[in-house]
Amino acid sequence: MITMPEPHSDTARFSLDTRAAAIRRMGRDTFDLAIIGGGITGAGIALDAVSRGLSVALIEKSDFASGTSSRSSKLIHGGLRYLEHLEFSLVREALRERATLTRLAPHLSEPLAFLVPLYKAGIPSALGNSRLKLSVGLWLYDLLAGRENIGRHRWVSREEALRLAPRLQSNGLRGGFVYYDCLTNDSRLVIEVIKTAASRGAAIANYAAARGLTKDGRRVSGINLEDRLTGETVTLRAGVVVNAAGVWSDEVSHLDNAEAPGRLRPSKGIHVVMPSEKFDNQQIAVLIPSLGESRFLFVIPWCGRTVIGTTDSDYSGELDEPLAEEAEVARVVESAAGSFPAAGISDDDVISTFAGLRPLVSANGESTAEVSRKEEIFESESGLITIIGGKLTTYRHMAERVVDLAVKSVAHAMPSVTSQIPLAAGEKLAADIDVQASSAAAEFEAPVELVRHLMRSYGGNFRVVLEITGESAEFKERLIEGLPHIAAEVVYAGRYEMAATAADFLVRRTRIALLARDHGVSCVGRVAELLGG
């Protein structure tokens, strides 16, 4: 076993220099655990393992969260619809993890109200028109959340429902139920977990691809990796290798055994981003029926925009860049227009779209909507551990299960402690956010709204970004009209978040590519320049 660095601050450097040093370590040392995949699952495993005292390496072939983990519905939730499939244990686990994340990183699990409108018979509702059935389901949802519940559901009148969502279809509206879940920024959740793992000694590198697996006899003993930024090849040695590659997990399994059966069944879901003023529901998400599908869509206020999704369909195309097809987008837009007729929604209102692939476990004959979201963990004859399936919300517990399996032969490993490890210096966020924001705004001579934006984005590390603005007046400048992001955030992403390219920053460290009509094209040169500096 190698000696690991002592845990240090969340704001320790995590840059391309850090990356180069990590790859040197990977070629020099032997690790207890090596992880393939830098989405939320791999990130969670890295943090769980390193916090138990294991030496850990993680590689990601592209950028962190570049796959499924940046293309979710932006929710930390129990999964209300899973109750229909009697998956009570999955819902209970997700609700417990929702509470844990809210405690560890309040800015990454922010309570949000959800409205389920109910209509008269003959008018489609998202979850059917039975008030009794839905009431029973929501009581059970609250019960499964236990003492950690955010708030009890309640019935609201027709008038109250229209006050919460003024542009909602009013014809035939009887009222609705309000319940509670949480909102997140999925790619930022991944990077904060990654950074926390690195701060505790994990060697982590993006743009490092697994090209093969090495074996000691019949047992997997390491990874042949390629540094995609330099072309260098390195052999990473490890006692246990974990395949957390998500929708690419079958490809990694075939590096171990070319005859390994495929276990993955990708399911595609798309989302559409629109202006928030079209919907006028900035404080509440709304569930609406999806035309042509026996499922519902969320209409979610997020980052000053409205995100609508998600769909669910089998997928057999290229895994790297799934696209939201024109017909899929049209169906989501039509669904939103039908549920919000007063909004006057059209295709011209679409700011951006994104598509993600769910790494579901293959099931016989079931539609992708019916396939369980519960993760499954496999260990091959050669010792390669693979995890597929699962939910963004339950990443921490998924990681705990994987590491429990990996350490069964490692005597010095401790129990999981990640339920007590804050993310993004979340403990530094004061209970009274408004007072803290006003104080920081005065201290750094910055607009209060900018400080609030930085707090929502970076949690307790927001002050580090503000400190960067003191280095140059240009670092206070906005990157793009209509959005709050400033140049200092690019510098921060390069120094502390291992952003290697302008796309890393625009797509994942921030969400400018989704929020701006030009997807950040107007500032891409400036971002590249700041990262290069």
Side-chain angles (χ1 to χ4, degrees), residues 191-222:
I191 193 63
E192 295 297 358
V193 177
I194 286 276
K195 287 162 58 180
T196 307
S199 76
R200 289 174 169 260
I204 295 175
N206 52 4
Y207 297 101
R211 300 304 188 196
L213 299 178
T214 61
K215 294 188 177 182
D216 182 1
R218 297 182 59 185
R219 186 167 183 82
V220 170
S221 60

CSV table of all heavy atoms in Angstrom, one decimal, residues 191-222:
chain,number,residue,atom,x,y,z
A,191,ILE,N,-18.6,17.1,-10.1
A,191,ILE,CA,-17.3,17.8,-9.9
A,191,ILE,C,-17.0,18.0,-8.4
A,191,ILE,O,-15.8,17.8,-8.0
A,191,ILE,CB,-17.1,19.1,-10.7
A,191,ILE,CG1,-15.7,19.5,-10.8
A,191,ILE,CG2,-18.0,20.2,-10.2
A,191,ILE,CD1,-14.8,18.6,-11.5
A,192,GLU,N,-18.0,18.3,-7.6
A,192,GLU,CA,-17.7,18.5,-6.2
A,192,GLU,C,-17.3,17.2,-5.5
A,192,GLU,O,-16.5,17.2,-4.6
A,192,GLU,CB,-18.9,19.2,-5.5
A,192,GLU,CG,-19.2,20.6,-6.0
A,192,GLU,CD,-18.1,21.6,-5.8
A,192,GLU,OE1,-17.1,21.2,-5.2
A,192,GLU,OE2,-18.3,22.8,-6.2
A,193,VAL,N,-18.0,16.1,-5.9
A,193,VAL,CA,-17.6,14.8,-5.3
A,193,VAL,C,-16.2,14.4,-5.8
A,193,VAL,O,-15.4,14.0,-5.0
A,193,VAL,CB,-18.6,13.7,-5.7
A,193,VAL,CG1,-18.2,12.3,-5.2
A,193,VAL,CG2,-20.0,14.0,-5.2
A,194,ILE,N,-15.9,14.6,-7.0
A,194,ILE,CA,-14.5,14.4,-7.6
A,194,ILE,C,-13.5,15.2,-6.8
A,194,ILE,O,-12.4,14.7,-6.4
A,194,ILE,CB,-14.5,14.7,-9.1
A,194,ILE,CG1,-15.2,13.7,-9.9
A,194,ILE,CG2,-13.1,14.9,-9.6
A,194,ILE,CD1,-14.4,12.4,-10.3
A,195,LYS,N,-13.7,16.5,-6.6
A,195,LYS,CA,-12.8,17.3,-6.0
A,195,LYS,C,-12.6,16.9,-4.5
A,195,LYS,O,-11.4,17.0,-4.0
A,195,LYS,CB,-13.3,18.8,-6.0
A,195,LYS,CG,-13.2,19.5,-7.3
A,195,LYS,CD,-14.0,20.7,-7.4
A,195,LYS,CE,-13.7,21.7,-6.4
A,195,LYS,NZ,-14.6,22.9,-6.5
A,196,THR,N,-13.6,16.5,-3.9
A,196,THR,CA,-13.5,16.1,-2.5
A,196,THR,C,-12.7,14.8,-2.4
A,196,THR,O,-11.9,14.6,-1.5
A,196,THR,CB,-14.9,15.8,-1.9
A,196,THR,OG1,-15.7,17.0,-2.1
A,196,THR,CG2,-14.8,15.6,-0.4
A,197,ALA,N,-12.9,13.9,-3.3
A,197,ALA,CA,-12.1,12.7,-3.4
A,197,ALA,C,-10.6,13.0,-3.6
A,197,ALA,O,-9.7,12.5,-2.9
A,197,ALA,CB,-12.6,11.7,-4.4
A,198,ALA,N,-10.3,13.9,-4.5
A,198,ALA,CA,-9.0,14.4,-4.8
A,198,ALA,C,-8.3,15.0,-3.6
A,198,ALA,O,-7.2,14.8,-3.2
A,198,ALA,CB,-8.9,15.3,-6.0
A,199,SER,N,-9.1,15.8,-2.8
A,199,SER,CA,-8.6,16.5,-1.7
A,199,SER,C,-8.2,15.5,-0.6
A,199,SER,O,-7.4,15.9,0.3
A,199,SER,CB,-9.6,17.5,-1.1
A,199,SER,OG,-10.7,16.8,-0.4
A,200,ARG,N,-8.7,14.3,-0.6
A,200,ARG,CA,-8.4,13.3,0.4
A,200,ARG,C,-7.3,12.3,-0.2
A,200,ARG,O,-7.0,11.3,0.5
A,200,ARG,CB,-9.6,12.5,0.8
A,200,ARG,CG,-10.5,13.4,1.6
A,200,ARG,CD,-11.9,12.8,2.0
A,200,ARG,NE,-12.5,13.6,3.0
A,200,ARG,CZ,-12.6,13.3,4.3
A,200,ARG,NH1,-12.0,12.2,4.7
A,200,ARG,NH2,-13.2,14.1,5.1
A,201,GLY,N,-6.8,12.6,-1.3
A,201,GLY,CA,-5.6,11.8,-1.8
A,201,GLY,C,-5.8,11.0,-3.0
A,201,GLY,O,-4.9,10.3,-3.5
A,202,ALA,N,-7.0,10.9,-3.6
A,202,ALA,CA,-7.2,10.1,-4.8
A,202,ALA,C,-6.5,10.7,-6.0
A,202,ALA,O,-6.5,12.0,-6.1
A,202,ALA,CB,-8.7,10.0,-5.1
A,203,ALA,N,-5.9,9.9,-6.8
A,203,ALA,CA,-5.3,10.3,-8.0
A,203,ALA,C,-6.3,10.3,-9.1
A,203,ALA,O,-6.9,9.2,-9.4
A,203,ALA,CB,-4.1,9.4,-8.4
A,204,ILE,N,-6.6,11.4,-9.7
A,204,ILE,CA,-7.8,11.5,-10.6
A,204,ILE,C,-7.4,12.3,-11.9
A,204,ILE,O,-6.7,13.3,-11.9
A,204,ILE,CB,-8.9,12.3,-9.9
A,204,ILE,CG1,-9.4,11.4,-8.8
A,204,ILE,CG2,-10.1,12.5,-10.9
A,204,ILE,CD1,-10.5,12.1,-7.9
A,205,ALA,N,-7.8,11.7,-13.1
A,205,ALA,CA,-7.5,12.4,-14.3
A,205,ALA,C,-8.7,12.2,-15.3
A,205,ALA,O,-9.2,11.1,-15.5
A,205,ALA,CB,-6.2,11.7,-14.9
A,206,ASN,N,-9.1,13.3,-15.9
A,206,ASN,CA,-10.0,13.3,-17.0
A,206,ASN,C,-9.2,13.1,-18.3
A,206,ASN,O,-7.9,13.2,-18.3
A,206,ASN,CB,-10.9,14.5,-17.1
A,206,ASN,CG,-10.1,15.8,-17.0
A,206,ASN,OD1,-8.9,15.9,-17.0
A,206,ASN,ND2,-10.8,16.9,-17.0
A,207,TYR,N,-9.8,12.9,-19.4
A,207,TYR,CA,-9.2,12.6,-20.7
A,207,TYR,C,-8.1,11.5,-20.6
A,207,TYR,O,-7.0,11.6,-21.2
A,207,TYR,CB,-8.6,13.9,-21.3
A,207,TYR,CG,-9.7,14.9,-21.6
A,207,TYR,CD1,-10.0,16.0,-20.7
A,207,TYR,CD2,-10.6,14.8,-22.6
A,207,TYR,CE1,-11.0,16.9,-20.9
A,207,TYR,CE2,-11.6,15.6,-22.9
A,207,TYR,CZ,-11.9,16.7,-22.0
A,207,TYR,OH,-12.9,17.6,-22.2
A,208,ALA,N,-8.4,10.5,-19.8
A,208,ALA,CA,-7.5,9.4,-19.7
A,208,ALA,C,-8.3,8.1,-19.9
A,208,ALA,O,-9.2,7.8,-19.1
A,208,ALA,CB,-6.9,9.3,-18.3
A,209,ALA,N,-8.1,7.4,-21.1
A,209,ALA,CA,-8.9,6.4,-21.5
A,209,ALA,C,-8.3,5.0,-21.2
A,209,ALA,O,-7.1,4.8,-21.4
A,209,ALA,CB,-9.2,6.5,-23.0
A,210,ALA,N,-9.2,4.1,-20.8
A,210,ALA,CA,-8.8,2.7,-20.6
A,210,ALA,C,-8.7,2.0,-22.0
A,210,ALA,O,-9.8,1.9,-22.7
A,210,ALA,CB,-9.8,2.0,-19.7
A,211,ARG,N,-7.6,1.6,-22.4
A,211,ARG,CA,-7.4,0.9,-23.7
A,211,ARG,C,-7.3,-0.6,-23.5
A,211,ARG,O,-7.4,-1.4,-24.5
A,211,ARG,CB,-6.2,1.4,-24.4
A,211,ARG,CG,-6.2,2.9,-24.7
A,211,ARG,CD,-7.5,3.3,-25.5
A,211,ARG,NE,-7.4,4.7,-26.0
A,211,ARG,CZ,-8.5,5.3,-26.4
A,211,ARG,NH1,-9.7,4.7,-26.4
A,211,ARG,NH2,-8.4,6.6,-26.8
A,212,GLY,N,-7.1,-1.1,-22.3
A,212,GLY,CA,-7.0,-2.5,-22.0
A,212,GLY,C,-6.8,-2.8,-20.6
A,212,GLY,O,-6.6,-1.8,-19.8
A,213,LEU,N,-7.0,-4.0,-20.2
A,213,LEU,CA,-6.8,-4.4,-18.8
A,213,LEU,C,-5.6,-5.4,-18.7
A,213,LEU,O,-5.5,-6.2,-19.5
A,213,LEU,CB,-8.1,-5.1,-18.2
A,213,LEU,CG,-9.4,-4.3,-18.2
A,213,LEU,CD1,-10.5,-5.1,-17.7
A,213,LEU,CD2,-9.2,-3.0,-17.4
A,214,THR,N,-4.8,-5.2,-17.7
A,214,THR,CA,-3.7,-6.1,-17.4
A,214,THR,C,-4.2,-7.2,-16.4
A,214,THR,O,-5.1,-7.0,-15.6
A,214,THR,CB,-2.5,-5.4,-16.9
A,214,THR,OG1,-2.8,-4.8,-15.6
A,214,THR,CG2,-2.0,-4.3,-17.8
A,215,LYS,N,-3.5,-8.4,-16.5
A,215,LYS,CA,-3.9,-9.5,-15.6
A,215,LYS,C,-2.6,-10.1,-15.0
A,215,LYS,O,-1.6,-10.2,-15.7
A,215,LYS,CB,-4.7,-10.5,-16.4
A,215,LYS,CG,-6.0,-10.0,-16.8
A,215,LYS,CD,-6.9,-11.1,-17.4
A,215,LYS,CE,-8.3,-10.6,-17.8
A,215,LYS,NZ,-9.2,-11.6,-18.3
A,216,ASP,N,-2.8,-10.5,-13.8
A,216,ASP,CA,-1.7,-11.3,-13.1
A,216,ASP,C,-2.3,-12.7,-13.0
A,216,ASP,O,-3.1,-13.0,-12.1
A,216,ASP,CB,-1.5,-10.7,-11.7
A,216,ASP,CG,-0.4,-11.4,-10.9
A,216,ASP,OD1,0.2,-12.4,-11.5
A,216,ASP,OD2,-0.2,-11.1,-9.8
A,217,GLY,N,-1.9,-13.5,-13.9
A,217,GLY,CA,-2.5,-14.8,-14.1
A,217,GLY,C,-3.9,-14.6,-14.7
A,217,GLY,O,-4.0,-14.0,-15.7
A,218,ARG,N,-4.9,-15.1,-14.0
A,218,ARG,CA,-6.3,-14.9,-14.5
A,218,ARG,C,-7.0,-13.7,-13.9
A,218,ARG,O,-8.1,-13.3,-14.3
A,218,ARG,CB,-7.1,-16.1,-14.1
A,218,ARG,CG,-6.6,-17.4,-14.8
A,218,ARG,CD,-7.5,-18.6,-14.4
A,218,ARG,NE,-8.8,-18.4,-14.9
A,218,ARG,CZ,-9.8,-19.3,-14.6
A,218,ARG,NH1,-9.6,-20.3,-13.9
A,218,ARG,NH2,-11.1,-19.0,-15.0
A,219,ARG,N,-6.3,-13.0,-12.9
A,219,ARG,CA,-7.0,-11.9,-12.2
A,219,ARG,C,-6.6,-10.5,-12.8
A,219,ARG,O,-5.4,-10.3,-13.0
A,219,ARG,CB,-6.6,-12.0,-10.7
A,219,ARG,CG,-7.4,-10.9,-9.9
A,219,ARG,CD,-7.3,-11.2,-8.4
A,219,ARG,NE,-8.1,-10.3,-7.7
A,219,ARG,CZ,-9.5,-10.4,-7.5
A,219,ARG,NH1,-10.1,-11.4,-8.0
A,219,ARG,NH2,-10.1,-9.5,-6.8
A,220,VAL,N,-7.6,-9.7,-12.9
A,220,VAL,CA,-7.3,-8.3,-13.4
A,220,VAL,C,-6.5,-7.6,-12.4
A,220,VAL,O,-6.7,-7.6,-11.2
A,220,VAL,CB,-8.7,-7.5,-13.6
A,220,VAL,CG1,-8.4,-6.1,-13.8
A,220,VAL,CG2,-9.5,-8.1,-14.7
A,221,SER,N,-5.4,-7.0,-12.9
A,221,SER,CA,-4.4,-6.3,-11.9
A,221,SER,C,-4.1,-4.9,-12.3
A,221,SER,O,-3.3,-4.3,-11.6
A,221,SER,CB,-3.1,-7.1,-11.9
A,221,SER,OG,-2.6,-7.2,-13.2
A,222,GLY,N,-4.8,-4.4,-13.3
A,222,GLY,CA,-4.5,-3.0,-13.7
A,222,GLY,C,-5.2,-2.6,-15.0
A,222,GLY,O,-5.9,-3.3,-15.6
